[in-house]
Amino acid sequence: MKVLKFGGTSVGSPERLEKLWSIIQSQESDRHVVVLSAVAGTTNALVEIALHYTQGEVAQARNLIQQLRQFYEGFVDTLFATEEGKEKGNTLIRSHFALLKELGNDLFTTVEERLVLAQGELLSTALFHLYLTTKGIPSVWLPALDFMRINEDQEPDMVHIQQHLNKLLSRWPTETLFITQGYICRNAFGEIDNLRRGGSDYTASLIGGALSVEEIQIWTDIDGFHNNDPRCVSNTKPIAHLSFDEAAELAYFGAKILHPQSVFPAQKANIPVRLLDTLDMQAPGTLISATFDHSDEIVAVAAKDDITAIRIHSSRMLLAYGFLRRVFEVFERYKTPIDMITTSEVAVSLTLDDRTHLSEIIAELTHFGAVEVDDNQTIICIVGDFKRNKNGYATIVSEAVKHMPIRMISYGGSEHNISLLLPSKYKIEALRALHHRLF
């Protein structure tokens, strides 16, 4: 069995949705679980609709609903060749958009907001299942809400997922194609929830781990991880093979092709993940696995934007045990993760990318000393296998960016990562300089 996940651009038009069947047929496997994202642009539209509802702007929300419905009506008209198919497709569309419209009649809370956001994946999977049915291709529409669950800490409940998913699949022992939704799930209270933006990759990895499949495939519109950001740097190259740790570092520190959390369930179950391009099925893509072999130790550079740097300066920190623990407890209370950290005898600097509770965090940190905050920062991450030979890497990296104002450096905390923090206005210059020096 294989898990095949297709992103928003891969299902972004009727023509691309039709192409999925040929990709599924090309796989050398007896059974497949297909995970679909929402059609490109849908989630952004649903976020905007939910925002209007939250602000009490019902008329504006329903205007956007009507625009999105018209898009899907055109989508259905192109996707289905027969009148019967078009009618079934439009019936499906009407039911989803009637629900979106009705949600403006009552109190709109976070529960309703998550219900709105779930409609994108429910629509794309239902349409693809209906399309296959009209073509006489047997498939099973498998609701993710029946097996995908997160616990009270917003972490996947793997025991629940494994038990319920295997139970569902056992109902169709002879079926070979299952279609389910990425991103959406239920929370510990049984409410509709989600795995956050980009969570369809995470869904695919969780399903793969729960079913112990032979391979997880992530199909997007780019031919795998590149050794730098192709939007900022010319002459980048796809990477043929990465370790799980290297892929996790790249995903977390800015490479948008993969959800940051999606590597770990596959790594835990030792299931290879292959990144492939729906626009170029012949491209080899990138294979992520436990076994790998690099001719070069440094394999890629990535950048993570919208970083905030915080510096706490306190003379009381000198030889004061427990200081860092108390600092970390502040972030723990507000469930805000830290990306980078450096320390000295009298100061600690750290970074975060979630500003939701920034004002409260700063207020608490001022009890420890003077606090400085720098916005609009970027983390540049240099990823590779630094276990075998660490000589000279820090010098090579620092030489490439020696003319730029580096705010922080992290080296040694990971055997796969050297990270730099600098003002975002230097991001492209830094990426190009490192590319020129390293590759």
Side-chain angles (χ1 to χ4, degrees), residues 141-194:
W141 192 75
L142 197 66
L145 298 177
D146 288 351
F147 64 87
M148 189 64 62
R149 190 172 78 171
I150 54 177
N151 58 29
E152 292 182 7
D153 295 323
Q154 306 297 306
E155 295 295 330
D157 185 341
M158 283 305 297
V159 173
H160 178 97
I161 294 169
Q162 188 170 30
Q163 289 178 347
H164 285 71
L165 182 55
N166 280 283
K167 183 178 179 180
L168 285 170
L169 292 184
S170 68
R171 297 178 184 175
W172 296 282
T174 61
E175 295 292 341
T176 59
L177 178 58
F178 300 88
I179 302 165
T180 192
Q181 303 81 36
Y183 175 64
I184 66 174
C185 63
R186 291 193 185 275
N187 58 29
F189 307 102
E191 301 163 342
I192 292 178
D193 212 317
N194 57 66

Side-chain angles (χ1 to χ4, degrees), residues 231-257:
R231 298 167 300 180
C232 303
V233 180
S234 58
N235 301 318
T236 64
K237 296 179 180 179
I239 306 167
H241 206 164
L242 285 171
S243 70
F244 284 118
D245 289 331
E246 289 169 340
E249 297 278 11
L250 283 172
Y252 186 77
F253 285 105
K256 301 297 185 184
I257 189 173

Side-chain angles (χ1 to χ4, degrees), residues 382-401:
I382 299 91
V383 170
D385 177 19
F386 303 143
K387 290 182 289 188
R388 291 176 289 177
N389 180 8
K390 295 187 177 181
N391 296 340
Y393 289 131
T395 301
I396 294 171
V397 169
S398 59
E399 279 289 322
V401 294

Side-chain angles (χ1 to χ4, degrees), residues 36-291:
L36 299 187
S37 297
V39 172
T42 299
T43 301
N44 287 340
L46 293 173
V47 168
E48 195 171 354
I49 289 167
L51 180 61
H52 282 302
Y53 272 148
T54 301
Q55 296 173 343
E57 300 167 348
V58 176
Q60 292 91 324
R62 288 179 173 167
N63 183 50
L64 290 175
I65 290 170
Q66 181 59 28
Q67 293 177 28
L68 189 61
R69 175 174 173 166
Q70 289 172 354
F71 166 79
Y72 271 96
E73 288 173 345
F75 196 101
V76 164
D77 189 58
T78 304
L79 180 63
F80 295 98
T82 66
E83 289 303 317
E84 182 183 4
K86 294 179 192 293
E87 178 55 36
K88 289 181 178 179
N90 281 314
T91 299
L92 177 67
I93 297 301
R94 283 194 293 270
S95 65
H96 282 272
F97 283 89
L99 172 63
L100 288 173
K101 189 176 181 181
E102 289 170 6
L103 289 173
N105 293 333
D106 299 306
L107 180 66
F108 193 83
T109 68
T110 55
V111 174
E112 286 74 27
E113 178 185 5
R114 293 192 292 262
L115 180 57
V116 168
L117 299 183
Q119 298 310 304
E121 281 71 20
L122 293 171
L123 271 166
S124 63
T125 52
L127 284 172
F128 184 54
H129 174 62
L130 181 58
Y131 168 77
L132 294 178
T133 301
T134 61
K135 293 291 184 180
I137 302 167
S139 64
V140 176
W141 192 75
L142 197 66
L145 298 177
D146 288 351
F147 64 87
M148 189 64 62
R149 190 172 78 171
I150 54 177
N151 58 29
E152 292 182 7
D153 295 323
Q154 306 297 306
E155 295 295 330
D157 185 341
M158 283 305 297
V159 173
H160 178 97
I161 294 169
Q162 188 170 30
Q163 289 178 347
H164 285 71
L165 182 55
N166 280 283
K167 183 178 179 180
L168 285 170
L169 292 184
S170 68
R171 297 178 184 175
W172 296 282
T174 61
E175 295 292 341
T176 59
L177 178 58
F178 300 88
I179 302 165
T180 192
Q181 303 81 36
Y183 175 64
I184 66 174
C185 63
R186 291 193 185 275
N187 58 29
F189 307 102
E191 301 163 342
I192 292 178
D193 212 317
N194 57 66
L195 300 171
R196 311 297 175 257
R197 295 298 288 266
S200 294
D201 294 347
Y202 202 8
T203 299
S205 190
L206 291 167
I207 291 174
L211 297 177
S212 298
V213 300
E214 59 186 279
E215 185 174 272
I216 300 164
Q217 297 183 355
I218 308 294
W219 289 82
T220 66
D221 57 351
I222 188 170
D223 56 341
F225 272 116
H226 277 230
N227 62 354
N228 210 322
D229 190 339
R231 298 167 300 180
C232 303
V233 180
S234 58
N235 301 318
T236 64
K237 296 179 180 179
I239 306 167
H241 206 164
L242 285 171
S243 70
F244 284 118
D245 289 331
E246 289 169 340
E249 297 278 11
L250 283 172
Y252 186 77
F253 285 105
K256 301 297 185 184
I257 189 173
L258 193 65
H259 185 277
Q261 297 292 329
S262 61
V263 172
F264 301 117
Q267 182 177 17
K268 185 176 181 180
N270 196 24
I271 299 170
V273 178
R274 197 179 297 272
L275 308 182
L276 296 163
D277 185 0
T278 52
L279 305 181
D280 184 4
M281 291 175 57
Q282 305 307 313
T286 299
L287 177 64
I288 304 167
S289 66
T291 57

Side-chain angles (χ1 to χ4, degrees), residues 362-388:
I362 293 173
E364 292 203 31
L365 292 177
T366 54
H367 296 305
F368 303 133
V371 178
E372 300 174 14
V373 179
D374 290 329
D375 298 321
N376 301 317
Q377 303 289 300
T378 291
I379 294 176
I380 305 290
C381 177
I382 299 91
V383 170
D385 177 19
F386 303 143
K387 290 182 289 188
R388 291 176 289 177

